[in-house]
């Protein structure tokens, strides 16, 4: 980088020197004013024009063009490296995705088996407690207890069933 910047600075210095000489001889204030009309004056001879053209050609041929070519080659190399790095990144991302998918499948399978086991154990507990609670002996005992107490202070309403007077419930 420093070498390139040094080359660029040198080219700029030589260019500025040549442009300043042209501006001074032609009586111009800035480089934008340089044109065939402003250089076609009595003070600017053919010999001076040839000398300036020679300097500008030398600046281009010896400095600017080789520097640009070197930088173009380096830029191309950097682009190739970048492309290779991007390919590597894409490959690694693909491998990472596959690995994460495998991990997700393993977690999913583990969760399935855990949930199945938990449901089975819960199901067996519920089945056992329901079987015990709904045993015919227990239901009969509960009904007997309720009917033995003729407590008419608590009324039960069953909708949709006709009430029959003096019915023994």
């Amino acid at each position: 980088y420093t070498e390139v910047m040094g080359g660029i600075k040198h080219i700029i210095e030589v260019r500025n020197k040549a442009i300043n000489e042209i501006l001074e001889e032609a009586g111009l204030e800035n480089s934008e004013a340089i044109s065939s009309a402003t250089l076609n004056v009595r003070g600017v001879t053919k010999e001076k024009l040839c000398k300036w053209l020679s300097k500008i050609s030398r600046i281009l041929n010896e400095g600017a063009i080789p520097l640009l070519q070197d930088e173009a080659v380096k830029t191309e190399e950097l682009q190739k490296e970048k492309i290779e790095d991007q390919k590597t990144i894409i490959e690694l991302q693909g491998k990472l995705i596959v690995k994460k998918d495998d991990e997700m499948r393993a977690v999913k399978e583990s969760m399935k088996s855990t949930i199945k086991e938990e449901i089975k154990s819960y199901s067996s507990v519920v089945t056992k407690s329901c079987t015990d609670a709904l045993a015919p002996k227990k239901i009969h005992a509960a009904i007997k207890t309720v009917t033995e107490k003729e407590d008419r202070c608590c009324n039960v309403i069953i909708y949709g069933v006709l009430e029959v007077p003096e019915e023994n419930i």
Side-chain angles (χ1 to χ4, degrees):
Y1 176 77
T2 347
E3 184 180 312
V4 172
M5 290 309 293
I8 291 172
K9 284 181 182 178
H10 177 69
I11 292 169
I12 291 171
E13 286 172 7
V14 173
R15 176 209 159 258
N16 287 344
K17 197 173 182 181
I19 294 293
N20 287 337
E21 186 180 329
I22 294 170
L23 293 175
E24 189 178 313
E25 286 288 328
L28 303 172
E29 292 187 23
N30 58 46
S31 60
E32 287 83 27
I34 298 174
S35 68
S36 59
T38 57
L39 293 177
N40 193 12
V41 293
R42 280 188 186 241
V44 179
T45 64
K46 187 176 181 180
E47 185 180 333
K48 287 181 184 177
L49 286 172
C50 290
K51 181 178 148 191
W52 295 336
L53 181 59
S54 174
K55 278 185 183 179
I56 299 296
S57 293
R58 198 169 41 253
I59 291 170
L60 290 172
N61 293 333
E62 294 174 7
I65 292 173
L67 183 64
L68 289 172
Q69 288 171 335
D70 288 345
E71 291 308 306
V73 169
K74 289 177 186 175
T75 302
E76 188 177 334
E77 289 171 0
L78 288 173
Q79 285 175 337
K80 286 179 183 177
E81 282 181 34
K82 182 179 179 183
I83 290 169
E84 290 301 316
D85 290 344
Q86 287 174 337
K87 284 180 184 177
T88 303
I89 289 171
I90 291 169
E91 288 173 11
L92 291 174
Q93 286 174 337
K95 289 178 182 178
L96 180 64
I97 289 170
V98 168
K99 185 173 177 126
K100 291 292 182 183
D101 285 346
D102 292 344
E103 288 175 2
M104 288 299 291
R105 271 191 227 99
V107 167
K108 187 177 177 182
E109 290 301 317
S110 172
M111 291 296 289
K112 274 184 181 178
S113 64
T114 303
I115 289 171
K116 281 181 182 177
E117 289 173 17
E118 292 297 321
I119 287 176
K120 283 179 185 177
S121 64
Y122 180 74
S123 174
S124 67
V125 168
V126 169
T127 304
K128 185 176 180 184
S129 67
C130 286
T131 304
D132 291 347
L134 297 176
K137 287 182 182 179
K138 285 192 176 187
I139 293 173
H140 184 62
I143 291 174
K144 188 176 181 182
T145 306
V146 169
T147 56
E148 284 177 357
K149 296 180 185 175
E150 286 282 334
D151 189 7
R152 287 293 196 178
C153 68
C154 299
N155 293 327
V156 176
I157 299 174
I158 302 175
Y159 292 98
V161 177
L162 295 174
E163 184 177 349
V164 177
E166 301 298 320
E167 181 180 3
N168 191 7
I169 302 179

